[in-house]
Amino acid sequence: MFVILKNITTFVPSSRQFDMRKSTIILTLIPLLLLVLAVSCGKTGRQERIVKSGHADSVLFDVGVEKDYGRMLVLVDSFEAAGDLSTLDANRWRGVAYYRQGQYRKSEQYYWKALEGKAKGDEDMLSYNKVARRLSELLLVRGDYEGSLRVAIPAVKKMDETGIGSDIDYAILLNNIGCCQLNLGQDKEANESFLTARGHYANRWQSDSTSRGFQEAVIGTVYTSLAYINMRRYAESIYWIDRTEMLLNMYRQRPDARSEYFDEYQGRIEIMRAVARQGLGQKEEAAKAYQAFLKTDYSKTGTGHINANEYLVAAQRYREAADNYRYLDQVLSDMGMEETLDNIQLYMLPKYTSNAEAGRKDSALVAGKRILAVLDSAITIQKNSTTAEMATIYDTQGKEAEIAHQQADLARQRLFSALIALGLVVTFFSVFIFFRYRSAKRLEHAHEKLQQAYDKLEETTAAKERIESELRIARDIQMSMVPNIFPDQEGLDIYAVIEPAKEVGGDLYGYLLIGDKLYFTLGDVSGKGVPASLFMAQATRLFRTLAAQGMLPAEIATRMNAALVEDNEQGMFVTMFLGLADLNTGHLEFCNAGHNPPLMKDASGHWTFLEMVPNAPIGMWPGLQFKEEHVDSIKGMPLLVYTDGLNEAENREQVQFGDDRLIEELNHTTFKNAKEVIDKLMADVKQHRNGAAPNDDMTMMCIKIS
């Protein structure tokens, strides 16, 4: 999970949104992290410690509850001097004290000191795990993904080697690792880390008689959701947002659950959903989620007002964002944040920008003057912060003699290094002469080795051609699994096409006509290539088998999920739209399993997205019961179902085709038949790509019942 630091580095469309997103993350996570700190320092941790250190931890915990952090630091020094706390545990508590005072850099320095100390027993290993969790979170939120991995991965390895570590230690560290991997483009590894963390969260709540496990799992999925949102992976974030809501509902059922958190978490879920839906171009759904957010008490808090601004700015609702920034000074004051350069960038500049975009020149001018007024003190604070960091590193308070001793050691090290360098020069010339002699001998064998290299190249080329041939055969087999001949039946016009991004892919479509009932589906398997194609084959077979038994779409999705989730060690899943249309009445029963909403041409002749309940993808989580919906009649109203390879098709500049252009192209297309609609969209996408290779599989199906 995350902890709060400044200078968060995320990939966002503009600098204004970049700053907005950083401030939103910070304000979103501070209350959650204080909660995690309270949980981790609570009763369970104290019971595990030996009596002596347990007393010290208990006293420090109680002082922390009273928020007397100055006294906490004094007590830590006293307990360490008396031997009641180890050096590692003492530095951990110092990190906690400075963190809770908002001095995140200084907190980070003490956490580093704790990790550098030697663990002298099981109690220190437990403290080491807590420090690794906190420090990896600090580095993660600061955007230092490599640094966070350097802390989290060795910590997991140590827990594996020593057997000392709880499920919550594993879950939080693995969640941090997954967020880092996602930001570093390691999608497969991130998915595996998130799934493994999910298992540890489940173990935690199954073995804990209290509700704490569910509460920690809710926090973990909030972080995962934010990680996908920050990477603009809005479709995947929807899954984790829905999972957060599911866990929150499970938490509500626990008799010892803390009811004061229900409203706050529900508010966070709704505002994340609004941001994700807005990012997917689903503006109506985003607006509905925002309205649900406004119904929570959390939305009326200062933090809620500020967090809402990421959606409001993305939706270009600048006046409302400017209104929310009226609460900024109070929020910063409540959190004890100083007027630092970082806070000017994260909060005050976006406040100025929102007022300027809203046309409120007077308010923008006031915000600008405020920035100028605090700039000088912010620079001073920055300098003092740097000095404080150096003091933490070197412990300058009362240790000038130690620094002088270190400088003398440094001088000796430099002299020693100079002697080593001289020795290396002599060694270099000796080795050079020796290897020059050997090179003459090696030259005799050069021709023979070159010939061997040519022979190897020929073998490699032949092997590559053999693999390419086998992949072409695999593609032919895969394409034979989807129907390419469509029924010639009066009143039904149906056509579909699939275009894999590689030799084989993970998209699928299918239909089954039973009398006057038309079953149809279209889906997108996670990932690409051969693994996705195998998963696609299994999903296609299951759909045809279950549809042939006359089941409704929701029941088909539920049974497919139960079958595909078994032994799914790779964590693969498939988003699908499943429909059952009556060719006589035009009645449509459908179930959307985490897939893009189809487009339908209404009576006025305009194409619009079909509104639906968001279900989870198939194959991700056991025991899901999928919901079914219906449309009274789609007679005369063409329906287009597609995968995100259509609306997310990119050109050479990585600009996507987009939902708006998709609707625009459809509205300017005269419907003659289903095939011409799909052929027209294929040509539009090809023109948009302008020579760029496909970035994802693309599949479309168009149906009209007349």
Side-chain angles (χ1 to χ4, degrees):
M1 283 191 265
F2 296 82
V3 187
I4 310 309
L5 274 180
K6 313 298 187 299
N7 301 326
I8 306 169
T9 304
T10 51
F11 179 65
V12 290
S14 67
S15 60
R16 181 173 67 243
Q17 292 178 348
F18 173 82
D19 293 339
M20 181 75 66
R21 183 155 292 155
K22 291 201 295 182
S23 61
T24 302
I25 294 172
I26 291 175
L27 292 177
T28 300
L29 300 180
I30 284 178
L32 298 181
L33 292 166
L34 291 178
L35 171 62
V36 175
L37 286 170
V39 169
S40 66
C41 297
K43 183 177 179 181
T44 301
R46 296 197 302 274
Q47 288 176 339
E48 293 173 344
R49 297 179 181 274
I50 59 176
V51 174
K52 194 173 184 181
S53 61
H55 170 70
D57 280 344
S58 177
V59 171
L60 291 171
F61 176 79
D62 292 339
V63 172
V65 171
E66 297 170 3
K67 299 182 180 181
D68 191 350
Y69 303 120
R71 182 165 172 253
M72 178 185 284
L73 290 170
V74 173
L75 286 172
V76 168
D77 292 340
S78 176
F79 285 138
E80 183 183 18
D84 293 344
L85 283 179
S86 68
T87 301
L88 189 154
D89 213 20
N91 283 322
R92 177 177 74 86
W93 277 108
R94 292 183 182 106
V96 170
Y98 284 116
Y99 174 80
R100 293 187 181 180
Q101 295 179 81
Q103 300 184 41
Y104 306 119
R105 294 282 190 173
K106 202 162 186 179
S107 172
E108 180 182 332
Q109 295 294 336
Y110 277 110
Y111 282 144
W112 275 118
K113 278 177 164 286
L115 290 188
E116 291 167 359
K118 185 177 181 180
K120 298 180 180 179
D122 291 357
E123 309 307 318
D124 270 357
M125 278 304 305
L126 292 172
S127 291
Y128 175 92
N129 295 341
K130 291 183 175 65
V131 170
R133 284 161 43 184
R134 302 292 168 256
L135 183 56
S136 63
E137 291 164 359
L138 286 167
L139 296 170
L140 172 60
V141 178
R142 186 151 59 86
D144 185 0
Y145 307 122
E146 293 85 353
S148 181
L149 289 175
R150 285 197 299 271
V151 172
I153 291 176
V156 171
K157 184 178 179 181
K158 282 190 176 183
M159 287 194 292
D160 290 337
E161 292 173 348
T162 63
I164 300 173
S166 64
D167 277 307
I168 193 57
D169 290 332
Y170 274 108
I172 294 176
L173 285 166
L174 287 166
N175 212 72
N176 292 347
I177 291 171
C179 291
C180 291
Q181 290 168 332
L182 187 65
N183 280 279
L184 293 172
Q186 300 171 1
D187 294 0
K188 180 180 178 181
E189 294 83 351
N191 185 55
E192 292 175 355
S193 297
F194 288 140
L195 292 176
T196 308
R198 186 180 70 181
H200 283 290
Y201 279 124
N203 292 340
R204 165 71 164 168
W205 75 59
Q206 290 168 3
S207 62
D208 192 348
S209 60
T210 70
S211 65
R212 187 177 300 155
F214 288 103
Q215 189 174 342
E216 291 162 341
V218 169
I219 297 171
T221 51
V222 166
Y223 286 119
T224 307
S225 303
L226 286 172
Y228 279 106
I229 287 175
N230 296 339
M231 292 300 294
R232 299 196 300 170
R233 303 278 289 277
Y234 300 116
E236 285 119 314
S237 72
I238 291 295
Y239 165 76
W240 288 101
I241 293 168
D242 291 343
R243 176 169 171 76
T244 305
E245 189 167 39
M246 178 191 73
L247 291 169
L248 179 60
N249 290 334
M250 295 170 70
Y251 178 50
R252 291 178 196 270
Q253 306 306 316
R254 304 289 297 191
D256 62 331
R258 303 178 69 177
S259 59
E260 63 267 26
Y261 292 113
F262 297 161
D263 179 84
E264 177 184 343
Y265 282 127
Q266 192 65 50
R268 295 183 187 280
I269 288 168
E270 298 298 349
I271 196 60
M272 287 192 300
R273 183 176 286 137
V275 173
R277 292 295 183 189
Q278 184 70 26
L280 290 169
Q282 300 169 5
K283 298 180 181 179
E284 292 184 7
E285 292 87 343
K288 288 180 181 178
Y290 182 65
Q291 289 302 315
F293 164 75
L294 293 179
K295 293 178 182 179
T296 65
D297 293 334
Y298 173 71
S299 70
K300 301 173 180 63
T301 66
T303 305
H305 281 294
I306 302 303
N307 286 343
N309 280 353
E310 184 174 358
Y311 163 73
L312 294 174
V313 171
Q316 298 183 350
R317 296 165 64 167
Y318 296 114
R319 295 183 67 85
E320 293 169 79
D323 289 341
N324 282 347
Y325 272 121
R326 292 179 301 175
Y327 300 91
L328 178 60
D329 290 343
Q330 184 61 47
V331 170
L332 296 180
S333 175
D334 292 343
M335 293 183 176
M337 290 188 176
E338 298 175 317
E339 296 169 339
T340 63
L341 294 177
D342 284 336
N343 288 338
I344 290 175
Q345 179 190 23
L346 297 179
Y347 304 110
M348 297 181 185
L349 285 176
K351 178 179 180 179
Y352 167 82
T353 303
S354 296
N355 280 284
E357 292 286 352
R360 300 179 179 179
K361 297 182 180 179
D362 292 340
S363 297
L365 181 61
V366 170
K369 288 181 177 179
R370 172 67 173 163
I371 292 171
L372 293 175
V374 302
L375 188 58
D376 182 65
S377 61
I379 294 173
T380 302
I381 290 172
Q382 188 75 16
K383 291 178 179 179
N384 292 338
S385 176
T386 302
T387 302
E389 288 180 21
M390 295 301 295
T392 301
I393 296 172
Y394 294 107
D395 289 335
T396 54
Q397 294 90 347
K399 294 194 177 182
E400 293 84 356
E402 183 177 343
I403 294 175
H405 179 69
Q406 291 174 351
Q407 290 174 340
D409 286 343
L410 182 60
R412 286 193 294 271
Q413 290 172 6
R414 287 173 178 168
L415 177 59
F416 183 66
S417 298
L419 294 173
I420 291 177
L422 180 60
L424 288 175
V425 170
V426 175
T427 303
F428 168 76
F429 281 109
S430 301
V431 173
F432 173 76
I433 294 171
F434 172 72
F435 278 100
R436 187 172 183 182
Y437 170 77
R438 290 188 61 183
S439 65
K441 293 292 184 181
R442 290 176 179 172
L443 192 59
E444 298 176 5
H445 305 289
H447 180 73
E448 180 182 350
K449 290 185 177 180
L450 185 60
Q451 185 61 48
Q452 292 174 354
Y454 278 123
D455 294 341
K456 186 66 175 177
L457 179 60
E458 290 179 0
E459 293 176 7
T460 303
T461 303
K464 181 180 178 182
E465 291 175 352
R466 194 161 52 248
I467 292 172
E468 290 176 349
S469 175
E470 291 173 355
L471 285 174
R472 284 193 295 270
I473 295 172
R475 175 169 180 161
D476 292 340
I477 294 173
Q478 185 183 17
M479 289 301 99
S480 70
M481 299 181 66
V482 295
N484 52 21
I485 299 176
F486 301 94
D488 183 13
Q489 181 163 332
E490 185 178 357
L492 174 62
D493 183 8
I494 179 173
Y495 185 76
V497 68
I498 182 170
E499 181 188 83
K502 297 183 178 181
E503 286 80 0
V504 290
D507 278 8
L508 62 97
Y509 71 82
Y511 74 88
L512 189 64
L513 189 59
I514 305 176
D516 56 1
K517 306 291 186 183
L518 174 68
Y519 283 92
F520 63 94
T521 189
L522 185 142
D524 183 1
V525 176
S526 60
K528 302 179 183 68
V530 174
S533 70
L534 296 175
F535 203 82
M536 166 264 190
Q538 193 175 7
T540 303
R541 176 184 58 80
L542 284 169
F543 167 75
R544 293 185 62 84
T545 301
L546 297 172
Q549 299 176 32
M551 297 181 183
L552 292 174
E555 186 178 1
I556 294 175
T558 300
R559 294 193 176 222
M560 286 182 66
N561 182 73
L564 293 175
V565 81
E566 291 184 5
D567 301 322
N568 187 7
E569 296 180 358
Q570 299 299 320
M572 299 191 73
F573 60 88
V574 57
T575 66
M576 294 184 75
F577 182 88
L578 305 95
L580 170 59
D582 188 315
L583 301 185
N584 292 325
T585 65
H587 184 78
L588 174 67
E589 297 279 348
F590 69 89
C591 175
N592 183 59
H595 198 72
N596 297 335
L599 283 157
M600 187 168 67
K601 191 174 184 178
D602 58 24
S604 66
H606 291 88
W607 289 82
T608 58
F609 287 107
L610 186 64
E611 294 187 2
M612 58 187 61
V613 174
N615 288 299
I618 294 173
M620 283 292 288
W621 188 249
L624 289 177
Q625 296 293 322
F626 288 81
K627 298 179 181 178
E628 189 155 291
E629 301 174 83
H630 71 274
V631 177
D632 291 337
S633 177
I634 61 170
K635 274 194 172 184
M637 296 185 290
L639 184 72
L640 177 70
V641 194
Y642 59 93
T643 61
D644 55 14
L646 171 61
N647 58 324
E648 295 181 6
E650 296 179 350
N651 59 17
R652 294 177 182 273
E653 289 74 36
Q654 296 185 326
V655 176
Q656 294 186 350
F657 190 73
D659 291 339
D660 292 340
R661 180 170 177 180
L662 173 58
I663 294 176
E664 182 181 356
E665 295 292 349
L666 287 171
N667 285 333
H668 286 83
T669 300
T670 301
F671 187 94
K672 296 180 181 178
N673 55 61
K675 184 178 185 302
E676 288 196 9
V677 170
I678 289 180
D679 289 344
K680 173 67 164 54
L681 289 175
M682 292 285 286
D684 292 336
V685 170
K686 183 177 180 180
Q687 181 182 14
H688 171 73
R689 285 180 180 150
N690 192 25
N695 57 299
D696 199 358
D697 305 333
M698 181 171 66
T699 304
M700 291 180 277
M701 174 183 285
C702 186
I703 300 173
K704 182 180 180 182
I705 298 174
S706 59

